[in-house]
Amino acid sequence: MHVDLLVLTQALGYLVIWAIVLAESGFVVGFFLPSDSFLFTAGFLAAQGFLDMEVLTLGCWVCAMLGASWGYGIGRRRGLRLMQRSDSWLFQKQHLLTTELLYEQNGPKTLVLARFLPIVRTFAPVVAGIHAMPYPLFTLYNLIGAIGWAIGVPLVGLSLGRASMAGAPDRFLLLIVMAIALICIAPSVVYLCRRPPA
């Protein structure tokens, strides 16, 4: 049976992207997923007409909110057990401790900043739950962070995708690669530069 990979990609694209966003937004085992790159690429594909931008970003936003809410619940119910848990290939306590430090320095704003920090993004809702952040306050910062990340990153991909269609695609290849790298590492660099010396 012949399978059209393009049709299959279009059919499964939304579900795969949404599942990755959901898992990395608060499921502790999803910390390794490269959702920044997926979100950027999804926006780029939307510019080519493979995905509908409104459907894509709405689903990403909802999944980002739901995933973080799940992580918050994990922190409230199982935070103490997580802090006492031994390291494994799926869980490194150091990730949790790093996020804890960021939370102590920035408070609720961590939920916005962490959206753009790989790994920390997964553990920030958990730490908010451990610290018993009031849920309405958590929801407000979760909303802001989810909009900036789950909608903002695909919009960058969409803009560059449209730019590449307006001229020779090869001309924009380096720019696209640099943009992906910048999106993924810039927040981490800013955080490390602002972090007070130990």
Side-chain angles (χ1 to χ4, degrees):
M1 179 179 177
H2 175 68
V3 177
D4 189 324
L5 291 179
L6 178 58
V7 173
L8 184 62
T9 300
Q10 289 173 317
L12 297 179
Y14 295 116
L15 294 179
V16 170
I17 294 165
W18 294 340
I20 289 171
V21 170
L22 181 69
E24 201 191 356
S25 291
F27 288 69
V28 175
V29 296
F31 71 89
F32 61 90
L33 295 170
S35 53
D36 287 321
S37 300
F38 273 93
L39 287 173
F40 182 92
T41 303
F44 189 83
L45 290 174
Q48 316 298 319
F50 295 122
L51 299 171
D52 182 278
M53 191 63 178
E54 292 183 3
V55 174
L56 170 70
T57 52
L58 177 61
C60 287
W61 173 68
V62 170
C63 288
M65 291 283 292
L66 290 177
S69 295
W70 179 269
Y72 176 88
I74 290 175
R76 287 299 298 265
R77 294 189 303 270
R78 303 178 183 177
L80 183 59
R81 274 184 282 178
L82 275 177
M83 296 298 289
Q84 297 173 342
R85 184 174 172 179
S86 300
D87 287 348
S88 67
W89 72 279
L90 274 179
F91 176 79
Q92 297 290 320
K93 189 157 48 177
Q94 184 58 43
H95 297 325
L96 193 59
L97 295 176
T98 299
T99 309
E100 179 95 14
L101 176 61
L102 186 62
Y103 183 88
E104 289 174 358
Q105 294 172 349
N106 298 280
K109 292 185 294 184
T110 302
L111 293 166
V112 178
L113 177 62
R115 281 292 181 183
F116 300 91
L117 295 170
I119 298 178
V120 175
R121 158 171 57 242
T122 305
F123 290 94
V126 178
V127 170
I130 291 173
H131 282 265
M133 181 189 294
Y135 191 71
L137 182 63
F138 168 82
T139 301
L140 173 62
Y141 281 92
N142 186 23
L143 173 67
I144 296 170
I147 289 174
W149 178 68
I151 297 178
V153 176
L155 282 175
V156 174
L158 179 73
S159 298
L160 287 176
R162 287 176 174 171
S164 72
M165 292 175 66
D170 291 343
R171 185 183 306 170
F172 293 93
L173 182 58
L174 180 59
L175 178 62
I176 291 167
V177 172
M178 290 175 61
I180 293 174
L182 184 63
I183 290 169
C184 294
I185 69 171
S188 300
V189 172
V190 171
Y191 167 63
L192 290 173
C193 290
R194 295 181 59 188
R195 183 177 176 179

